[in-house]
Amino acid sequence: MHCAYHINDGILILKRISTAFLFAALSSCYGGTDKSVPEESLKGNSVTLDSAYYGMRPTLLSDDLLFTWSQSQIETGCVGKISGDSLTNYQGSFRRGHGRNEFMDVILGKGKDSCIYIASVSAKHNQILSMTHTGKAKSIEAVKDTEAWTIYDLSKLPNWTFGFMNYVVLSDSTCLFLGTPFGDLGHIMSIIDFKNQTLKPLDFWPEDGSKVEGLAKVGVYIDTGNILGNNEDRFLYVCGEGNYAFIFTIDGSSVHVKKELYSQFPEYDYMGEDKVGRMNYSIKNRPALHFETDANGNHIYLLKIEDDKDGKAAESWKTSVCGNEIEVYDWEGNLEKKIVLDQLGHNIKVTEDDRLLYLFSEDWETGEPQIWAYDLRN
């Protein structure tokens, strides 16, 4: 089997750089090298589907609700109920448009008590227009119940550049984003207070030794980055380029790095301005390994994505972006164990109770998307 991931699944997050960043490498400096760490092999069960599943990139797992990207002109995403080895009632979610309760693009976040937060993104991807709070959403019907939604207008916030992977809900009024205002580019993280309509950049700027600054450097660390939390006071940043990942805390406007899991900065060059006036960049010496990441309150899961994992060269229209080895860390940054799956995949999602891990893959003999469920209690 040759596993790959369709480039066009990432349309919403391609703001000003090449699609190649989705497959950016993140090879290890010193993470995962301790041979004394326990290793276990797991056998997965194929998740059965009761309706069409389009294999879009998974964006959020909240309780037993799975949210994914969508290329539809009608809906901005899809949602289905995933439980054990079955995905049911998979359907469109969050209607696309300019009317009330409609969105051009969305980024989803998960709050407490099964609440979903919907950040509405402007057509030019330079503003968060609103933040919608769904209330308790333990079913698809509850997610779509617009009568229970609370919408906060954010259209008066300054234009800013921000990441499209995800964000962390900090409270019932604040969210942590990868992003910074265009007028204050010396940051890669900001906190939005959507009830008070404020945007506060945090004091962190990667000291990577590069002479490239401004939007090009911001693009490297924001556009390709991923940010996750433990539902309390610890957070994980993973850069989609280079070899850079760390656990951190926040104190006021300061970011405190607690432990680097991977410590090599990306290498990049300034490539001038693109057609919309934003700076662009190119990556140098991109390695053949990077991570796809998920986390819950207990652990961090890093899926090691390796080019040509199955030993076959990628065809010209594909990029090999699959893996089956996972590193599991606690939130102190200790590598607790390694997991070897019996299938290859390009994304993972883990339940909050550490019971199930879902691996997202495709069968390239048939072109059919696949999901595999792994019981982590074994």
Side-chain angles (χ1 to χ4, degrees), residues 49-64:
L49 316 173
D50 75 341
S51 56
Y53 169 64
Y54 305 109
M56 299 293 100
R57 182 185 179 94
T59 57
L60 187 70
L61 180 63
S62 177
D63 298 321
D64 59 359

Side-chain angles (χ1 to χ4, degrees), residues 1-41:
M1 177 183 69
H2 186 75
C3 183
Y5 178 69
H6 279 303
I7 291 174
N8 56 14
D9 288 355
I11 285 177
L12 298 181
I13 56 178
L14 304 181
K15 297 196 294 179
R16 59 180 179 275
I17 59 177
S18 129
T19 55
F21 85 79
L22 286 174
F23 318 123
L26 190 60
S27 59
S28 168
C29 284
Y30 53 82
T33 60
D34 187 352
K35 295 183 179 180
S36 66
V37 174
E39 181 175 299
E40 59 185 48
S41 298

Side-chain angles (χ1 to χ4, degrees), residues 178-192:
L178 290 178
T180 191
F182 285 114
D184 192 3
L185 292 177
H187 314 269
I188 66 169
M189 305 176 196
S190 296
I191 292 177
I192 282 185

Side-chain angles (χ1 to χ4, degrees), residues 125-179:
H125 297 168
N126 60 358
Q127 278 188 303
I128 301 292
L129 298 175
S130 66
M131 182 67 74
T132 297
H133 175 283
T134 66
K136 288 188 177 182
K138 285 186 171 292
S139 67
I140 296 175
E141 292 74 21
V143 169
K144 293 186 169 185
D145 181 10
T146 58
E147 295 298 319
W149 289 5
T150 303
I151 303 174
Y152 299 91
D153 178 31
L154 297 177
S155 61
K156 294 182 180 180
L157 290 180
N159 288 0
W160 62 311
T161 178
F162 49 88
F164 267 63
M165 292 289 191
N166 54 7
Y167 55 91
V168 178
V169 177
L170 302 177
S171 70
D172 64 356
S173 63
T174 56
C175 295
L176 173 65
F177 278 81
L178 290 178

